[in-house]
Amino acid sequence: MNEYTTTRHNEMIDPSLHIWGWEIPVYLFIGGLVAGMMIITGYFIFKGKYKDKACVCGVLPLLGMIILSAGMFALFLDLEHKLYTWRLYTSFKIASPMSWGAWILIVVYPAMAASFFVNVPEYFSKIFPWMDKISEKLQQHRYLIKNIGVINMLLGGLLGIYTGVLLSALGARPLWNSSMLWLLFLVSGLSSAAAFVHMVAGRVDERELLAKADNGFLIIEIFVIGLFVIGMITSTKVHIQSAMLLLSGIYAPVFWVFVVGLGIVIPLIIQLLAVNHKIKHTPIAPIMVIIGGLILRFVIVDAGQYSHWIDAAF
Amino acid sequence: MARFGMVIDTKKCVGCMDCVVVCKTENNVPEGFNRDWIVQDVRGKNPHLQMEIRSERCNHCDNPPCVYCCPTGASHVHDLGGVVIVTHDMCIGCKACIAACPYDARFIHPEGYADKCTFCIHRVEKGMGPACVSVCPTHCMFWGALDDPNSEVSKLLDSRKHHALIPEAGTKPQIFYLV
């Protein structure tokens, strides 16, 4: 027997940690989604697809900036000392993933803005002709445009990776303390982004390409989840117990049904049938992938807070 | 420079909570929150049970994850004795330090910043020890320089069996419990 009784009952700490509500999972999901959108945009720009006005890479940067701003607002809502938010930008702490993230968020906006001006959507160029002039000048520099594509892919990768490292650097929460979490969040972000772009792309060939890419990301995600779990159950006692939260504990139903089943396996089967022309492409599978990605962040953030070192039997 | 730490004799602690009450008074800790607390840890199988009563607080770790993860530098190690403290007007309330602490020793003060035990740094600067140590009716709490071999805390650690909390987390806690 091991009975542990404490007189402490601090708000948000006891009986189990619950400091982060909906804001952080939503922000982490959006960070991953926009990271994936930046990588897809960068790839299309790098491959020269921006020359076609109908390319989806024309609308993605603007959508990315709007969605990321919503995510940053959620992050702001989570802060408890809001008036001091500016303190994030008076220092850079190399050991703090949150400090890295704050600065990465600052640099991704100019990169997305640059990719927006590579191929300004017609709607904007009609209202703001000066945008088209910038676009024309940019398009005279082929290598500059390729570099904008590369920078978007790199910064998108950094943004997606950071959302995982933000949690995995917190060693006090065994479930987060995995070297696979950055990869899981990056691949999940890429699959959500591919699903999202699949829905907003106007060209059939782009939709087909993104459905195929999404299938690839979903298959990789299954393997990464497998490696994440293997890494946990072959580690220390607290890591094994934290993995059990997902495998057979209180978070298992939502993890297996909504994240793995409805968020990865079923949409993967639907999209495999669609890309093999057995059934038509519909928004059902992409919506399932996006919701699955969001629920993955909720499960990981909640279960991670529940996992701990003290009297580690949970 | 001294490295301050605390030694608590679990053979003498009766869990009276004087340390908890004086901490709240001394540091104006708001209602519903605690910078220190009492734990009863019962292990074994009936009738062979062992109980340890501990007064717990921030461990002022030598390898403090709460300091490393802080994005603004609000959480930092004080020049005086390596005490881990929070500068309130630098804290944005992101709660990363709370998630980083394996002891769950931190909380969000109702005014929005992260709060925790400071080893009563305001008293230490005046040459006094923490308030909790000064009021303990069983004299089970000791505070001093761990790097001074002649200090009371060093002598106790040299002469008595002791343990720290969750040393396997790698944070190098600086509060030790005599058993």
Side-chain angles (χ1 to χ4, degrees):
Chain A
M1 186 192 82
N2 184 5
E3 195 171 85
Y4 183 93
T5 313
T6 177
T7 62
R8 190 188 66 195
H9 48 86
N10 287 342
E11 192 185 327
M12 293 198 285
I13 312 297
D14 300 302
S16 66
L17 197 75
H18 50 288
I19 48 171
W20 288 331
W22 64 269
E23 299 92 342
I24 296 299
V26 165
Y27 164 70
L28 294 177
F29 167 73
I30 285 177
L33 175 69
V34 174
M37 287 165 72
M38 286 181 76
I39 292 170
I40 292 166
T41 307
Y43 173 76
F44 280 155
I45 290 174
F46 184 76
K47 295 297 273 184
K49 292 183 188 288
Y50 64 89
K51 289 167 190 161
D52 179 357
K53 270 278 181 193
C55 175
V56 72
C57 60
V59 294
L60 286 185
L62 191 64
L63 284 173
M65 284 189 278
I66 293 167
I67 295 171
L68 189 60
S69 301
M72 284 179 73
F73 183 65
L75 189 61
F76 174 73
L77 288 179
D78 177 71
L79 298 179
E80 303 285 346
H81 222 197
K82 292 182 176 60
L83 285 177
Y84 295 85
T85 309
W86 56 274
R87 287 283 193 186
L88 278 170
Y89 297 107
T90 56
S91 63
F92 171 64
K93 296 289 171 189
I94 197 162
S96 165
M98 201 172 278
S99 184
W100 276 91
W103 288 104
I104 288 170
L105 286 169
I106 290 292
V107 295
V108 296
Y109 277 94
M112 281 195 281
S115 62
F116 172 76
F117 282 110
V118 168
N119 179 11
V120 179
E122 269 183 53
Y123 176 77
F124 286 96
S125 55
K126 275 180 191 165
I127 302 170
F128 308 107
W130 57 270
M131 286 186 174
D132 240 7
K133 284 180 185 166
I134 294 175
S135 185
E136 279 166 20
K137 281 191 179 173
L138 271 177
Q139 292 192 10
Q140 289 166 5
H141 305 278
R142 202 168 130 253
Y143 286 102
L144 175 64
I145 287 185
K146 274 192 178 291
N147 281 326
I148 289 173
V150 170
I151 287 170
N152 266 274
M153 285 191 277
L154 279 176
L155 287 177
L158 270 181
L159 179 62
I161 288 169
Y162 132 78
T163 61
V165 175
L166 184 70
L167 298 184
S168 65
L170 301 168
R173 309 297 144 195
L175 187 73
W176 295 340
N177 193 214
S178 163
S179 57
M180 297 302 291
L181 204 59
W182 70 269
L183 189 54
L184 176 59
F185 279 15
L186 179 64
V187 177
S188 168
L190 276 165
S191 72
S192 298
F196 179 77
V197 181
H198 172 85
M199 290 197 296
V200 297
R203 292 173 43 151
V204 176
D205 60 325
E206 283 178 350
R207 283 210 296 272
E208 194 77 9
L209 174 70
L210 285 158
K212 285 177 183 167
D214 200 11
N215 289 345
F217 295 138
L218 290 172
I219 291 168
I220 295 170
E221 198 177 342
I222 291 172
F223 279 101
V224 174
I225 287 175
L227 292 171
F228 171 72
V229 170
I230 290 168
M232 284 280 157
I233 59 176
T234 54
S235 190
T236 67
K237 179 185 160 195
V238 288
H239 290 92
I240 295 167
Q241 288 178 341
S242 67
M244 289 306 162
L245 287 173
L246 298 182
L247 299 180
S248 56
I250 56 169
Y251 292 94
V254 70
F255 177 71
W256 289 112
V257 174
F258 291 102
V259 176
V260 178
L262 296 174
I264 300 177
V265 177
I266 303 293
L268 177 62
I269 293 167
I270 294 172
Q271 284 190 155
L272 280 172
L273 292 171
V275 296
N276 287 304
H277 308 293
K278 307 279 187 199
I279 56 171
K280 278 189 175 178
H281 282 289
T282 63
I284 293 171
I287 287 172
M288 289 170 86
V289 169
I290 291 169
I291 294 173
L294 179 63
I295 296 175
L296 170 73
R297 303 317 193 281
F298 269 97
V299 170
I300 296 290
V301 170
D302 280 11
Q305 291 183 87
Y306 194 76
S307 68
H308 54 79
W309 285 78
I310 299 171
D311 189 33
F314 44 83
Chain B
M1 191 198 303
R3 181 50 173 106
F4 293 139
M6 196 177 273
V7 173
I8 298 168
D9 191 344
T10 61
K11 297 285 184 198
K12 287 185 182 172
C13 181
V14 294
C16 69
M17 297 207 10
D18 258 14
C19 52
V20 176
V21 174
V22 76
C23 174
K24 287 181 75 83
T25 313
E26 178 70 29
N27 296 294
N28 291 320
V29 180
E31 195 177 335
F33 294 94
N34 288 104
R35 285 185 178 187
D36 59 351
W37 56 94
I38 299 294
V39 163
Q40 283 187 12
D41 196 348
V42 182
R43 289 166 195 263
K45 195 175 176 184
N46 195 27
H48 305 293
L49 295 170
Q50 280 188 323
M51 183 171 75
E52 185 173 284
I53 301 174
R54 297 191 296 262
S55 171
E56 292 188 2
R57 60 195 42 66
C58 166
N59 282 271
H60 297 277
C61 305
D62 245 359
N63 190 26
C66 53
V67 171
Y68 301 149
C69 73
C70 178
T72 65
S75 273
H76 64 283
V77 178
H78 199 283
D79 291 337
L80 185 59
V83 178
V84 177
I85 59 169
V86 182
T87 305
H88 299 165
D89 61 4
M90 283 178 76
C91 176
I92 60 170
C94 68
K95 297 168 278 191
C97 57
I98 297 177
C101 176
Y103 309 102
D104 290 344
R106 290 176 171 234
F107 59 90
I108 289 292
H109 190 282
E111 288 176 14
Y113 52 81
D115 201 8
K116 60 180 270 302
C117 162
T118 63
F119 267 169
C120 287
I121 192 82
H122 58 287
R123 287 170 57 95
V124 174
E125 283 169 340
K126 292 175 188 165
M128 297 183 282
C132 52
V133 176
S134 69
V135 298
C136 180
T138 63
H139 301 289
C140 74
M141 301 174 76
F142 305 88
W143 180 86
L146 292 168
D147 52 352
D148 174 6
N150 295 315
S151 68
E152 191 175 23
V153 284
S154 293
K155 285 178 180 169
L156 281 166
L157 293 180
D158 282 345
S159 60
R160 296 273 301 273
K161 276 189 181 176
H162 57 270
H163 70 89
L165 295 181
I166 325 175
E168 62 272 27
T171 56
K172 297 184 183 170
Q174 298 298 302
I175 294 185
F176 300 92
Y177 296 91
L178 302 176
V179 293

